[in-house]
Amino acid sequence: MMPWEAPASSVGPRGAPTQRTTQPIVTGTSVLGLKYKDGVMLAADTLASYGTLAMFKDVERLHKVSDTTLVGAGGEFSDFQKLQHIIGDLTGDDTNLDDGFKHAPSEIFHYLRAVMYQRRNKMNPLWNNLLVAGFKDGESFLGSVDLIGTAYEEDFLATGFGSYLATPIFRKKWRPDMEEGEARELLEECLRVLFYRDCRALNKIQIAKATAEGTFVSPAYTLATSWESASFATVKGGLDGDGGW
């Protein structure tokens, strides 16, 4: 047993009380997801911020669980790494048993809901908002789980700041019969808006999809942006320049 796997004690080193994480430190922002005609798609940027510092710009927050399931995470990145190990143990059991059974996306979703709720009840939550997406037996799946175990399914979802800025765009433009190209374009539009408006967002992104052919996570690529809008270009606050020294 490794030191970090030892049972939690009510007393820490030198008699100090055991402490829990009360504030995430290295965090990712929004994850977006939607169903479309042939499957389901997730999108997220590759930034992990250290407080307010845009520190790690090549972080992958979309995880391929299996040929049917994807998970995307916002929040504390080290907690997401812990969840990746937990999910890996579950899917590893599928491989080791070698009986042809693979957990469905909905089963992964409900398992993560139980994990997050159990950690919340121990007053030691995993500080993540998760989107679980998948495609199996001709059915698309998309669900959300947060750090206290609140879970629900929907045709389109967004976590973090995206729940405020991307959801209205989804409501206006999403259709259940969208082609793959249209779904990607809509996600890119939402991520571009988040880059403009969310100071924890980046224009370097990844897209992931789950279809009847399997799951795929794209390499990171950079969104084209424009800062010529009047709201960005107009000098504000009576300043002579951009406000710099």
Side-chain angles (χ1 to χ4, degrees):
M1 179 180 290
M2 302 303 290
W4 55 85
E5 296 174 323
S9 170
S10 60
V11 178
R14 300 182 182 179
T18 298
Q19 296 183 347
R20 307 298 193 192
T21 301
T22 57
Q23 181 178 352
I25 303 299
V26 178
T27 60
T29 184
S30 307
V31 181
L32 312 180
L34 57 79
K35 295 179 182 178
Y36 63 100
K37 180 180 177 181
D38 298 319
V40 59
M41 194 174 290
L42 296 180
D45 65 31
T46 61
L47 178 65
S49 300
Y50 179 74
T52 58
L53 175 66
M55 189 167 188
F56 305 105
K57 299 181 180 180
D58 292 295
V59 168
E60 295 188 4
R61 299 192 290 118
L62 303 179
H63 175 62
K64 178 177 178 177
V65 175
S66 66
D67 291 336
T68 63
T69 308
L70 301 161
V71 175
E76 173 60 49
F77 190 69
S78 64
D79 285 348
F80 181 46
Q81 291 175 313
K82 172 67 174 178
L83 282 168
Q84 287 176 298
H85 286 298
I86 292 172
I87 297 168
D89 290 340
L90 184 68
T91 56
D93 290 341
D94 289 348
T95 302
N96 293 335
L97 289 171
D98 197 23
D99 58 1
F101 174 79
K102 301 290 184 183
H103 283 88
S106 61
E107 293 170 332
I108 299 292
F109 170 73
H110 289 293
Y111 177 70
L112 288 174
R113 180 205 58 77
V115 169
M116 302 297 270
Y117 185 66
Q118 187 267 349
R119 289 293 296 254
R120 173 252 190 176
N121 286 343
K122 296 293 184 182
M123 303 300 172
N124 189 25
L126 295 167
W127 291 75
N128 296 114
N129 284 350
L130 307 173
L131 292 190
V132 180
F135 190 94
K136 188 175 183 180
D137 299 329
E139 294 288 334
S140 297
F141 179 88
L142 181 63
S144 171
V145 185
D146 69 11
L147 77 165
I148 61 173
T150 304
Y152 56 94
E153 302 172 34
E154 190 49 88
D155 292 327
F156 51 81
L157 290 168
T159 73
F161 226 146
S163 62
Y164 302 99
L165 298 180
T167 300
I169 301 174
F170 284 152
R171 287 173 177 161
K172 182 178 181 180
K173 297 188 176 183
W174 178 84
R175 306 188 321 274
D177 61 345
M178 296 180 78
E179 298 291 343
E180 181 176 320
E182 293 177 302
R184 176 187 288 268
E185 183 178 354
L186 179 55
L187 289 172
E188 288 180 348
E189 178 183 347
C190 292
L191 287 171
R192 190 176 290 110
V193 169
L194 286 168
F195 177 59
Y196 291 149
R197 299 297 183 183
D198 180 2
C199 63
R200 303 289 187 277
L202 189 67
N203 65 332
K204 186 176 180 182
I205 69 167
Q206 285 184 292
I207 300 285
K209 66 177 182 178
T211 65
E213 284 72 41
T215 52
F216 171 77
V217 180
S218 76
Y221 63 97
T222 302
L223 285 176
T225 58
S226 172
W227 297 93
E228 296 178 359
S229 170
S231 61
F232 296 134
T234 302
V235 175
K236 300 178 180 64
L239 301 174
D240 294 330
D242 62 1
W245 291 99

